[in-house]
Amino acid sequence: MISSLFLCHGGPTLVVEKNEYTNFLKDLGKKLNPKAIVIFTAHWESEITTISSLDSTYDMIYDFYGFPKELYSIKYPAQGSVDVASKLQSMLRDHGIESKLDENRGLDHGAWDVLYLMFPKADIPVIQVSVNPELSMEKQYEIGEAIRELGKEDILVIGSGSTVHNLSTVDWNSEKAEEWAVEFDNWLIEKVENNDREVLFNYRQLAPYAKLAVPREEHIVPMFIAMGSGNNHNPKLLHQSYVYGTLSYICFEF
């Protein structure tokens, strides 16, 4: 049983794209049958870790502009879980990490983009969690570490973000990955697979093209949370591909 994943959620169009990454996500979802999913999304930022806590069906958040109309009609009627949300908050509290519950927020595309492809029946409870990009990477890891025991209860933790996420470098007509984007990702992959956490925590100073690849850190911090929550002592890359020149589609299993 995979306990923790980091997934690049790409752009909102991911749900209607047909490529090797969408095929990969569909196949991966068929191999998994978690009791619940806890997903940290880069599209929900808050100073205090905030946990969705509801037993009803989520509303949809279409947090993007100027895309094809069909995307605004996508529905993913996942339900939350008050019990899992409370368990999550208790685990964080036991590790001295402040959190709060939210009963109103809907699912943003950082969550439903990947879940729509992986678990199309929307029959698994989903607990959405915010991120704080102002925290150090060590602190992000500690948030994940605090909830590591969820994996033993067949609750899947997903960090949903991106590695290379600089929209100013995207070329919508490009079919070839930019070398600098691949070089940055390959550096990350090597350090992740070697469990070189201390170097990863300082990726911004050490990784090639780090500031170009990650102008803001909200999309990469879910990777460090997923890393901390994993029970696999041999993390591995499950997928790597690119679209639009610089947009990474990366998946790590932790």
Side-chain angles (χ1 to χ4, degrees):
M1 174 69 187
I2 294 175
S3 64
S4 179
L5 292 168
F6 170 69
L7 297 170
C8 290
H9 59 242
T13 56
L14 182 70
V15 293
V16 294
E17 290 175 3
K18 293 182 179 180
N19 53 45
E20 58 179 300
Y21 186 54
T22 57
N23 290 337
F24 161 77
L25 290 176
K26 291 174 184 177
D27 289 342
L28 180 61
K30 292 174 183 176
K31 299 173 184 176
L32 303 174
N33 187 30
K35 293 179 180 177
I37 298 166
V38 171
I39 185 163
F40 289 81
T41 168
H43 286 259
W44 187 9
E45 297 182 40
S46 63
E47 184 177 352
I48 297 172
T49 300
T50 308
I51 305 161
S52 289
S53 178
L54 70 162
D55 276 329
S56 57
T57 302
Y58 283 95
D59 292 329
M60 297 289 287
I61 299 177
Y62 303 102
D63 48 342
F64 46 84
Y65 306 94
F67 285 87
K69 289 184 178 180
E70 64 178 313
L71 295 179
Y72 301 92
S73 63
I74 295 286
K75 301 294 182 185
Y76 189 75
Q79 287 202 323
S81 170
V82 170
D83 289 343
V84 177
S86 296
K87 180 189 296 288
L88 184 60
Q89 186 175 44
S90 178
M91 295 172 102
L92 292 171
R93 185 187 303 117
D94 289 345
H95 286 78
I97 297 170
E98 184 181 5
S99 65
K100 61 182 180 180
L101 302 177
D102 182 288
E103 300 177 357
N104 300 305
R105 193 178 190 276
L107 279 184
D108 61 57
H109 101 259
W112 59 256
D113 241 18
V114 291
L115 296 178
Y116 183 94
L117 293 169
M118 294 176 69
F119 307 105
K121 294 181 180 179
D123 56 355
I124 301 170
V126 174
I127 300 85
Q128 187 175 236
V129 191
S130 70
V131 299
N132 179 0
E134 301 303 318
L135 299 177
S136 69
M137 297 307 110
E138 291 95 332
K139 292 295 184 184
Q140 310 290 354
Y141 183 88
E142 289 171 7
I143 290 171
E145 196 173 31
I147 61 172
R148 186 174 289 173
E149 295 301 305
L150 289 176
K152 295 181 180 179
E153 300 182 36
D154 288 341
I155 296 174
L156 175 65
V157 177
I158 296 177
S160 176
S162 294
T163 49
V164 180
H165 189 263
N166 186 338
L167 299 183
S168 69
T169 67
V170 165
D171 181 351
W172 299 104
N173 297 311
S174 176
E175 297 181 1
K176 181 181 179 182
E178 291 289 335
E179 291 183 7
W180 65 264
V182 178
E183 187 173 343
F184 173 76
D185 278 344
N186 285 345
W187 185 94
L188 282 182
I189 291 164
E190 179 188 356
K191 304 309 177 189
V192 166
E193 292 186 329
N194 289 334
N195 261 320
D196 202 343
R197 292 195 296 270
E198 292 304 318
V199 172
L200 283 165
F201 291 159
N202 294 288
Y203 83 94
R204 204 154 182 81
Q205 292 76 40
L206 300 174
Y209 305 106
K211 292 180 182 178
L212 179 61
V214 188
R216 279 193 81 240
E217 294 188 292
E218 81 287 349
H219 271 73
I220 202 168
V221 295
M223 185 188 82
F224 289 91
I225 296 171
M227 187 188 310
S229 66
N231 288 306
N232 186 349
H233 298 297
N234 297 296
K236 58 185 176 181
L237 177 74
L238 299 184
H239 183 87
Q240 179 181 14
S241 62
Y242 298 84
V243 293
Y244 314 129
T246 65
L247 197 58
S248 298
Y249 285 155
I250 293 280
C251 175
F252 287 120
E253 173 191 343
F254 294 108

